[in-house]
């Protein structure tokens, strides 16, 4: 392992430690021990590597988790969310939230501005490399209910909220027993935001009747697929997709089928800590 990779691996250990212990008190001395860095230099090393201080990074991760709870767990009280995020009271939580995102927790719950929210989570050197263990499978045809998101990738969470609303109202795709998918028609890194296309889907066993949310019936066709498992944040799933196209595909000798890449979400951000998320990425093959 090169010195640069060894250095990055130390920070990966710190990121993992933070992700798994957001409910605990996290100190600079503790984090420097995890990285095996001198406590006298760790603060400066972290700031230079990530672009913000370690304490601010921890706060942003707690606010990120709180943001998801505000939008997707609307029965959770803001007081409970504030305390779970490490704040002494709702007032200090509201101040920190508004200073960070430009919206109060109540305003964000009512009408979340995902684009500026997403910009707060663009860090230096935050990508993590994952082992590419690719399987070839024969996927069975799957009937799905789909909500077609059309527009900026940062706004997919708005569409997800609409799909969740339909799911609860219709009962046709219960989250406990049906599968959840995302069908990716465009590369968000090279597609103009207004032209980005992404379908949010849930497996169903019957036709989807007309509904006010605009959910329609589609299908994922049967066929061979390359599958790689992505662990952790959905925000970094692009790292695994790039490796699949850039590293695995040229060496495999496989040819691609005329159907988009799609994700199978084995668990969901609405009920799972971000570091425990598991997503299978399917690349359709001939």
């Amino acid at each position: 392992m090169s010195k640069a990779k060894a250095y990055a691996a130390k920070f990966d250990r710190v990121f993992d430690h933070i992700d798994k212990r957001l409910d605990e008190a996290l100190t600079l001395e503790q984090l420097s021990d995890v990285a095996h860095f001198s406590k006298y230099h760790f603060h400066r090393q972290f700031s230079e590597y990530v672009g913000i201080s370690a304490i601010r990074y921890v706060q942003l991760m707690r606010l990120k988790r709180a943001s998801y709870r505000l939008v997707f767990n609307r029965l959770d009280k803001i007081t409970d969310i504030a305390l779970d995020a490490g704040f002494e009271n709702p007032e200090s939580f509201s101040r920190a939230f508004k200073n960070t995102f430009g919206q109060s927790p109540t305003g964000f719950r009512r009408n979340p501005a995902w684009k500026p929210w997403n910009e707060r989570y663009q860090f230096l050197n935050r990508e993590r490399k994952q082992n590419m263990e690719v399987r070839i499978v024969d996927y069975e045809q799957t009937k799905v209910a789909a909500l077609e998101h059309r527009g900026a990738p940062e706004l997919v969470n708005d569409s997800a909220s609409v799909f969740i609303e339909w799911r609860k109202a219709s009962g046709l795709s219960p989250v406990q027993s049906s599968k959840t998918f995302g069908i990716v028609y465009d590369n968000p890194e090279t597609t103009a935001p207004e032209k980005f296309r992404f379908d949010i889907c849930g497996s169903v066993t019957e036709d989807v009747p007309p509904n006010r949310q605009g959910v329609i019936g589609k299908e994922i066709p049967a066929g061979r697929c390359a599958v790689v498992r992505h662990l952790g944040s959905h925000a970094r799933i692009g790292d695994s997709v790039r490796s699949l196209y850039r590293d695995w595909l040229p060496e495999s000798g496989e040819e691609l089928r005329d159907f988009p890449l799609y994700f199978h979400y084995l668990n969901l951000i609405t009920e799972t800590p971000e570091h425990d998320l598991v997503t299978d990425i399917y690349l359709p093959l001939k």
Side-chain angles (χ1 to χ4, degrees):
M1 181 183 294
S2 70
K3 291 181 180 179
K5 288 183 178 179
Y7 192 78
K10 290 184 177 183
F11 279 103
D12 283 349
R13 287 199 298 270
V14 174
F15 297 144
D16 285 334
H17 185 87
I18 293 171
D19 288 346
K20 295 175 181 177
R21 293 170 176 82
L22 286 176
D23 292 325
E24 303 175 14
L26 295 167
T27 66
L28 287 176
E29 185 170 358
Q30 178 188 10
L31 297 177
S32 65
D33 286 342
V34 171
H36 300 299
F37 286 141
S38 166
K39 63 182 179 181
Y40 299 107
H41 302 287
F42 175 73
H43 178 76
R44 179 65 179 270
Q45 286 176 282
F46 191 98
S47 296
E48 293 295 335
Y49 189 80
V50 183
I52 58 173
S53 72
I55 297 303
R56 178 57 171 162
Y57 179 85
V58 170
Q59 185 187 63
L60 281 173
M61 292 300 103
R62 288 172 173 158
L63 289 173
K64 186 178 189 180
R65 183 177 63 176
S67 301
Y68 287 132
R69 288 182 65 185
L70 285 168
V71 174
F72 297 118
N73 299 81
R74 293 181 178 274
L75 296 181
D76 289 359
K77 296 180 180 178
I78 291 179
T79 298
D80 294 335
I81 295 174
L83 296 176
D84 290 344
F87 292 87
E88 294 182 356
N89 52 62
E91 291 74 25
S92 59
F93 170 67
S94 293
R95 283 195 300 273
F97 197 96
K98 188 166 186 177
N99 287 338
T100 300
F101 305 119
Q103 289 183 286
S104 68
T106 301
F108 189 85
R109 169 168 273 178
R110 186 184 305 116
N111 186 27
W114 288 112
K115 190 169 184 178
W117 180 93
N118 186 69
E119 291 171 355
R120 295 295 180 271
Y121 293 97
Q122 304 302 310
F123 304 118
L124 299 174
N125 297 310
R126 190 57 179 87
E127 293 185 4
R128 288 190 238 178
K129 306 302 180 186
Q130 299 194 53
N131 293 328
M132 289 292 294
E133 297 182 4
V134 180
R135 299 177 291 122
I136 305 294
V137 302
D138 288 311
Y139 197 79
E140 295 183 355
Q141 178 179 315
T142 303
K143 193 173 187 176
V144 297
L147 179 65
E148 298 177 321
H149 172 84
R150 301 296 183 262
E154 296 88 352
L155 301 180
V156 166
N157 281 331
D158 285 338
S159 295
S161 295
V162 175
F163 186 74
I164 290 170
E165 178 187 317
W166 171 84
R167 218 168 194 175
K168 291 178 178 178
S170 71
L172 295 176
S173 181
V175 69
Q176 297 85 356
S177 57
S178 66
K179 297 178 180 179
T180 302
F181 301 95
I183 301 177
V184 191
Y185 295 90
D186 302 297
N187 181 353
E189 297 176 355
T190 58
T191 303
E194 66 277 8
K195 295 184 177 180
F196 179 71
R197 300 168 297 163
F198 183 89
D199 287 355
I200 302 168
C201 307
S203 62
V204 292
T205 57
E206 54 188 280
D207 292 340
V208 178
N211 56 86
R212 68 181 184 84
Q213 292 86 4
V215 174
I216 60 176
K218 291 191 176 184
E219 69 174 39
I220 297 174
R224 294 174 69 248
C225 292
V227 186
V228 66
R229 179 156 291 182
H230 174 83
L231 304 176
S233 172
H234 294 161
R236 294 191 296 277
I237 203 168
D239 301 343
S240 296
V241 171
R242 278 192 296 274
S243 294
L244 192 57
Y245 277 104
R246 181 191 61 207
D247 302 326
W248 178 81
L249 184 60
E251 294 292 332
S252 70
E254 295 283 354
E255 294 185 29
L256 299 181
R257 182 159 39 98
D258 192 22
F259 189 78
L261 178 95
Y262 58 96
F263 305 144
H264 175 199
Y265 302 105
L266 279 75
N267 48 23
L268 301 174
I269 192 66
T270 54
E271 55 194 28
T272 308
E274 195 172 30
H275 66 273
D276 285 333
L277 292 171
V278 182
T279 309
D280 281 344
I281 303 170
Y282 283 78
L283 186 63
L285 306 173
K286 289 184 177 179

